[in-house]
Amino acid sequence: MTPLEMKRRKLRGGGNKITPQRIAILKAIDGIHSQFTPQELHRKLSAEHPEIGLVTVYRTLKLLAKSGLVCLMGNIGRSQSYARGPQQHHHHLICAGCDMVVDIPTCGLDELEKRLAHETGFTISRHHLEFTGLCRNCQAVSAGGLV
Amino acid sequence: MTPLEMKRRKLRGGGNKITPQRIAILKAIDGIHSQFTPQELHRKLSAEHPEIGLVTVYRTLKLLAKSGLVCLMGNIGRSQSYARGPQQHHHHLICAGCDMVVDIPTCGLDELEKRLAHETGFTISRHHLEFTGLCRNCQAVSAGGLV
DNA sequence: ATCCAGTTGAAAAGGATTTTCAACTACAGA
DNA sequence: TCTGTAGTTGAAAATCCTTTTCAACTGGAT
């Protein structure tokens, strides 16, 4: 079963229909390797699928996130930010220069989380960790005085 | 020197003027012990200072954040979220039920940060860590079937 | 082949934030 | 104390992102 088939199946399982728009959106997302906003995805789509409206992109991303097929990462400025891949435990290293995103699979926060829960009486259900800095490329660029 | 005087001095130092609006806003912020949005602050202000416009609140918060007198925490839904106190190294434990915010002064991420920098070639300038869960109160409420 | 619940695109509405602009004012210097 | 001016203000308008509404359309079960 191809990855796309798996995704179709997962969508169908939730009682949703498989439409040409949704397939086009799923395919487009597969080709994006950094975080993206609904607007950016729509821009990317419009080359091959000018008939797909921005509203549909918003709706579909929301649906895909609910179905676990894309990952809602939070807000960049005013915009929602999504990323390819399922919602799972991972964190991000983000370049302030070029917006590149690197996933961080481990964080070692379990200990801290347990301690906090104990000390505060909270039930902690999730955490979010984000590092910001400059990637090698952008360091070079800013060292050259271009920024 | 009172805390307020210190803040006035800090503002003046940046070449900014001390206006009645800014003083009222600084005082109001001192009375808020959880995170707040510009809109919430404006609502709170409007009782005593109906003449202060929402736009001024937005502008002043931006100025205060730049001057290090309040702390811009990120976005809650679509809204910016601020908190009393200077921007410094601390993180948050947030209750999903009542929005209460608890500061976490330590995080022990220096090691991970160093390792990441080494492995990826990034220059890491800051990180953001956030735990979400339910405080004792809200656990009780949801256990009672009210949520 | 038929039917209907789910889906679509366009336009309008909604909500947060920023910009514009003319009037006002804090305060440095005379 | 007075004056000039750069910074500040509030209201309205503009902007930007996102959601809602609605009539037309369609996937897929029967």
Side-chain angles (χ1 to χ4, degrees):
Chain A
M1 186 158 46
T2 71
L4 182 56
E5 275 177 275
M6 287 179 56
K7 287 169 190 164
R8 293 172 67 135
R9 194 165 292 211
K10 210 159 186 180
L11 267 187
R12 292 291 302 286
N16 306 294
K17 292 181 179 172
I18 305 303
T19 66
Q21 291 91 336
R22 287 176 180 175
I23 295 194
I25 288 174
L26 277 173
K27 283 186 183 167
I29 291 173
D30 263 345
I32 303 182
H33 291 252
S34 67
Q35 57 188 342
F36 59 90
T37 64
Q39 316 256 351
E40 286 165 355
L41 178 57
H42 179 247
R43 213 172 306 131
K44 193 181 179 83
L45 274 168
S46 60
E48 278 201 63
H49 299 278
E51 78 282 3
I52 298 183
L54 177 59
V55 190
T56 296
V57 174
Y58 271 100
R59 278 192 287 230
T60 305
L61 281 174
K62 195 178 258 188
L63 174 69
L64 294 180
K66 206 172 60 180
S67 308
L69 296 175
V70 302
C71 157
L72 175 57
M73 289 178 47
N75 290 46
I76 298 185
R78 289 194 205 169
S79 300
Q80 302 167 339
S81 161
Y82 288 89
R84 191 167 64 105
Q87 194 74 255
Q88 62 187 350
H89 185 270
H90 71 284
H91 300 298
H92 294 108
L93 173 52
I94 300 172
C95 178
C98 63
D99 273 344
M100 177 174 67
V101 179
V102 179
D103 281 0
I104 307 168
T106 62
C107 66
L109 287 172
D110 293 354
E111 271 315 306
L112 176 58
E113 189 167 308
K114 264 184 218 151
R115 210 191 76 213
L116 282 174
H118 182 256
E119 287 175 4
T120 62
F122 268 65
T123 308
I124 298 180
S125 49
R126 60 202 163 82
H127 64 249
H128 175 82
L129 173 61
E130 213 174 84
F131 291 90
T132 310
L134 287 178
C135 69
R136 240 190 278 262
N137 249 341
C138 292
Q139 286 170 53
V141 171
S142 56
L146 298 178
V147 171
Chain B
M1 183 156 53
T2 70
L4 183 55
E5 277 177 273
M6 286 180 53
K7 285 168 192 164
R8 293 172 67 133
R9 194 165 293 211
K10 209 159 184 179
L11 265 188
R12 291 290 302 287
N16 306 294
K17 293 181 179 171
I18 306 302
T19 65
Q21 292 91 338
R22 287 177 180 176
I23 296 193
I25 288 174
L26 276 174
K27 282 186 182 164
I29 290 173
D30 262 345
I32 303 182
H33 291 251
S34 67
Q35 58 187 343
F36 59 89
T37 65
Q39 317 256 349
E40 285 165 356
L41 178 56
H42 179 247
R43 212 173 304 130
K44 192 181 181 85
L45 274 168
S46 60
E48 279 202 62
H49 299 277
E51 77 282 4
I52 298 182
L54 177 58
V55 190
T56 296
V57 174
Y58 271 102
R59 278 191 287 230
T60 304
L61 281 173
K62 196 178 258 190
L63 173 69
L64 294 180
K66 206 170 60 180
S67 308
L69 295 173
V70 303
C71 157
L72 174 57
M73 289 177 47
N75 290 47
I76 298 184
R78 289 193 205 173
S79 301
Q80 303 167 339
S81 162
Y82 288 88
R84 192 167 63 104
Q87 195 73 255
Q88 61 187 352
H89 186 268
H90 72 283
H91 300 296
H92 295 107
L93 172 53
I94 301 172
C95 176
C98 64
D99 272 343
M100 177 175 65
V101 178
V102 179
D103 282 0
I104 308 168
T106 62
C107 65
L109 287 173
D110 293 354
E111 272 314 308
L112 177 58
E113 189 167 310
K114 266 184 218 151
R115 209 191 75 213
L116 282 175
H118 182 257
E119 287 175 3
T120 61
F122 268 64
T123 307
I124 298 179
S125 48
R126 60 203 163 80
H127 64 249
H128 174 83
L129 172 60
E130 213 174 85
F131 293 89
T132 310
L134 286 177
C135 69
R136 241 190 279 263
N137 249 342
C138 292
Q139 286 170 52
V141 171
S142 55
L146 298 176
V147 171

